[in-house]
Amino acid sequence: MFISMEAVYVYLGLFTVLGSLFTFRDQKNPRRVTSGLFYLLYGITLMLGSIIPPFVMGLLVIVMVIIVGTGGLKVGSYGEASSEERQQNRKRLGNKLLLPALLIPIITILGTTGLKDVKIGDMFILDQKNITLVSLAIATLIALIVGIMMTKSNPMTPVKESRRLLEAIGWAAVLPQMLATLGTIFTSAGVGKVVSDLVSTIIPTHSLFWVVFAYCVGMALFTMIMGNAFAAFPVMTAGIAVPLLIGQFGVDANHLAAIGMFAGYCGTLMTPMAANFNIVPAALLDLKDKNHVIRVQIPTALILLCFNIALLYFISL
Amino acid sequence: MVLIGVAIVIIGFIVRLNPLLVVTVAGLVTGLVAQQSLYDIIEQFGKAFTTNRYMAIFIATLPVIGLLERYGLREQAEAIVSKIKAATAGRIINVYFFIREVAAVFGLTSIGGHAQMVRPLVAPMAEGAAEAKYGKDIPDDVRQKIRAHSAAADNIGVFFGEDVFIAIGAILLMKGFFDQNNIPSDPLKMAMWAIPTAIAALIVHSIRLYMLDRSLDRRLGQSNKKAVGKGE
């Protein structure tokens, strides 16, 4: 293929590494060396992930965690545009400012749907396995070029601005990847099996309602622990749904799969372990409480969890 | 014994230690308890970190959004909305929520997202609507609440919409699981049985966003009256 996912990672890493150079020189950051090192290493893991051997990669990651754990990651200064400057530029550019922002979703969708099967010769243009991500990256690059031309700004400005946003997110940027790592370790250590055994010893297996209840709540709880409904689904379904719901009560697999997965999503809404949905956005939106998004989601999640339990129970009767 | 990792995570989050540190320690301990060697555990860290790099894709949007913010994107988004009389924070978020869920139903999960839509457009528009209604000096905690609701609408919309689309990862995962266990299943039927919950999510969360407006009215309604009085 012409544009691979690796190329996208290099693109991400490039901005991160370039940004870290500014951090190293940022006199107003009290921990500029360790902070700079954090982003430099992060950029390197993105750019060279497929080349660096896994053990070395693991060490780099642990160094990053140590920097965060010892308080070595601090925010600096970014020479932000003043409110007057922003207002002035805004008056000049007006609604044109929205154009690049809207180009991102539009081009992403065009790329995802339109360029899906397009080949030049025998090669697909875009990485088939990651079509949405590659399209998104291309969309942001085009939007960036349009943005630079429109604002007539220095090409270094976007690097500095992305550094400002990335440092506002800080360690939360790395958290989703670490949680995914924890997920693999949990799986290889057999945590799922233990949890599903535990659940199936607690519930009264002769009652359809309580089995449905245990399956849905189990999906939500295990998703909260693992941060990912996809990880919870095989464990809970093999542990509870297949032997009891399908085997004993003859419930249709299609019903319980669809509804069970949604019960898991209710868990996703309530856990900091789903960092890329709950913690990263909180950082991205400058929220003081990193759990604020979760707090807002809990009522909807609980109502929908009850709905899923009731729905699965009534259609299984 | 392997559950000790789960316990570390839960306790760590409760006592509010740095989550990154908590997760790393939980991983190390769980691996050690399961009798894996330190070398293997570190290798797993590296391997999983590499395969999950796609989660860093939001970085791609930062240069554009940052650049546009420098030139007043957020202020422009607020200004546009403040001209629409019927706009309220809850309604703006609700419109976005509706679009996000319906688009996801048709497989267009790439419309929206926190970095590309919520931060630059949705949250500033919702804040702009609140400013237009209650005056420029809305309290900071209200702003925070509006932003958190903007982020939540994005999550809830995409989660409960996408499983109605048959070619999505979740449906393929479930189909694969049942195939392995020799249980007959049909992606089309799974997608169909996702519809009731998708509709329930739409109704429940729309009501909550309507209530958000009501609670903002109750709290800030006083300045609302003043602003209207002055304007007309």
Side-chain angles (χ1 to χ4, degrees):
Chain A
M1 69 213 91
F2 286 90
I3 302 169
S4 69
M5 202 54 209
E6 282 305 322
V8 173
Y9 292 139
V10 171
Y11 177 69
L12 304 181
L14 202 63
F15 276 100
T16 313
V17 169
L18 286 175
S20 80
L21 301 180
F22 287 99
T23 308
F24 279 121
R25 287 172 29 201
D26 185 349
Q27 299 294 341
K28 289 191 180 133
N29 185 335
R31 307 298 294 271
R32 64 197 169 95
V33 178
T34 44
S35 299
L37 184 63
F38 178 87
Y39 294 106
L40 178 66
L41 290 178
Y42 186 32
I44 290 172
T45 62
L46 288 171
M47 281 174 112
L48 304 176
S50 58
I51 301 169
I52 299 173
F55 180 73
V56 179
M57 190 77 169
L59 289 178
L60 293 182
V61 171
I62 287 173
V63 172
M64 288 166 70
V65 174
I66 292 171
I67 291 175
V68 173
T70 53
L73 192 63
K74 291 269 187 302
V75 288
S77 66
Y78 307 99
E80 287 114 319
S82 68
S83 173
E84 294 78 52
E85 249 175 278
R86 288 204 302 269
Q87 290 294 351
Q88 228 164 16
N89 282 316
R90 177 170 81 78
K91 293 224 169 76
R92 181 164 61 88
L93 293 162
N95 282 335
K96 271 200 262 170
L97 269 175
L98 298 178
L99 179 74
L102 293 174
L103 278 179
I104 297 176
I106 293 169
I107 299 175
T108 309
I109 289 163
L110 289 180
T112 315
T113 54
L115 289 179
K116 203 163 97 190
D117 304 314
V118 180
K119 293 181 192 178
I120 296 181
D122 278 337
M123 295 229 290
F124 286 108
I125 294 185
L126 305 180
D127 192 330
Q128 290 296 295
K129 273 186 264 161
N130 299 295
I131 195 108
T132 315
L133 299 178
V134 177
S135 300
L136 176 61
I138 293 171
T140 57
L141 180 61
I142 295 173
L144 181 61
I145 293 167
V146 172
I148 291 174
M149 292 198 309
M150 211 175 72
T151 57
K152 302 192 184 67
S153 53
N154 183 316
M156 260 347 231
T157 310
V159 173
K160 291 183 196 161
E161 293 295 321
S162 78
R163 173 189 162 232
R164 169 175 66 85
L165 293 180
L166 185 60
E167 295 197 359
I169 302 170
W171 54 262
V174 190
L175 186 60
Q177 276 169 269
M178 282 309 279
L179 285 161
T181 308
L182 183 64
T184 18
I185 293 179
F186 275 4
T187 310
S188 71
V191 173
K193 180 90 180 53
V194 178
V195 171
S196 97
D197 286 350
L198 207 67
V199 175
S200 43
T201 51
I202 299 172
I203 52 166
T205 54
H206 56 272
S207 152
L208 174 66
F209 177 78
W210 286 111
V211 177
V212 166
F213 183 88
Y215 178 55
C216 291
V217 174
M219 271 299 293
L221 284 178
F222 199 51
T223 300
M224 288 174 76
I225 294 168
M226 303 290 281
N228 186 345
F230 285 17
F233 182 80
V235 173
M236 284 296 150
T237 309
I240 302 175
V242 171
L244 298 174
L245 286 176
I246 296 177
Q248 193 177 325
F249 293 101
V251 176
D252 187 328
N254 296 312
H255 300 172
L256 72 86
I259 298 165
M261 189 62 100
F262 273 149
Y265 289 178
C266 294
T268 315
L269 294 173
M270 298 189 283
T271 175
M273 296 289 274
N276 49 337
F277 296 112
N278 297 335
I279 305 295
V280 173
L284 202 57
L285 290 165
D286 304 320
L287 296 182
K288 283 176 198 138
D289 175 3
K290 293 279 174 285
N291 293 319
H292 201 155
V293 179
I294 297 173
R295 280 203 337 254
V296 164
Q297 288 172 163
I298 285 176
T300 301
L302 288 179
I303 294 169
L304 290 176
L305 183 58
C306 295
F307 178 85
N308 283 319
I309 294 170
L311 179 67
L312 183 55
Y313 176 67
F314 284 117
I315 60 176
S316 305
L317 274 179
Chain B
M1 254 325 253
V2 290
L3 290 181
I4 195 167
V6 177
I8 293 175
V9 170
I10 293 170
I11 293 167
F13 278 123
I14 290 172
V15 300
R16 288 175 177 260
L17 288 173
N18 181 289
L20 196 62
L21 197 64
V22 171
V23 168
T24 310
V25 172
L28 284 173
V29 173
T30 304
L32 289 174
V33 166
Q35 316 223 318
Q36 300 170 352
S37 75
L38 197 58
Y39 184 89
D40 282 346
I41 299 169
I42 292 175
E43 201 170 37
Q44 283 190 63
F45 269 94
K47 212 177 276 172
F49 204 79
T50 305
T51 40
N52 289 293
R53 279 180 297 164
Y54 71 89
M55 289 174 165
I57 190 73
F58 68 90
I59 293 177
T61 62
L62 301 183
V64 198
I65 302 303
L67 179 70
L68 297 175
E69 280 186 1
R70 190 178 181 90
Y71 286 86
L73 176 65
R74 295 171 67 96
E75 288 79 0
Q76 184 66 17
E78 287 178 15
I80 292 171
V81 167
S82 63
K83 290 198 192 102
I84 307 170
K85 280 242 158 90
T88 62
R91 282 185 200 153
I92 298 277
I93 299 170
N94 212 343
V95 168
Y96 177 68
F97 169 62
F98 184 81
I99 295 171
R100 181 84 165 127
E101 183 165 340
V102 171
V105 165
F106 291 101
L108 299 173
T109 46
S110 40
I111 288 186
H114 297 286
Q116 55 272 47
M117 286 297 283
V118 179
R119 162 143 185 153
L121 297 173
V122 181
M125 283 184 168
E127 283 176 56
E131 279 182 3
K133 200 167 172 204
Y134 308 113
K136 282 275 175 199
D137 49 345
I138 47 177
D140 192 46
D141 65 305
V142 172
R143 271 179 206 282
Q144 301 260 321
K145 193 175 180 183
I146 292 173
R147 288 180 195 174
H149 265 285
S150 308
D154 190 278
N155 285 336
I156 296 168
V158 73
F159 285 4
F160 294 97
E162 65 177 7
D163 279 9
V164 179
F165 185 68
I166 55 167
I168 205 72
I171 301 275
L172 302 177
L173 172 95
M174 297 190 283
K175 171 81 182 144
F177 172 83
F178 286 127
D179 285 350
Q180 273 173 28
N181 288 277
N182 299 316
I183 296 165
S185 63
D186 176 0
L188 197 65
K189 282 192 185 142
M190 287 184 209
M192 216 184 74
W193 279 98
I195 294 174
T197 309
I199 294 172
L202 207 57
I203 295 170
V204 168
H205 202 65
S206 291
I207 294 173
R208 286 202 55 219
L209 287 168
Y210 172 75
M211 282 162 59
L212 170 70
D213 274 340
R214 296 281 300 273
S215 85
L216 292 182
D217 272 343
R218 269 199 306 277
R219 174 128 179 239
L220 303 167
Q222 210 53 36
S223 49
N224 176 26
K225 268 180 218 145
K226 252 187 269 165
V228 170
K230 257 186 258 166
E232 277 150 349

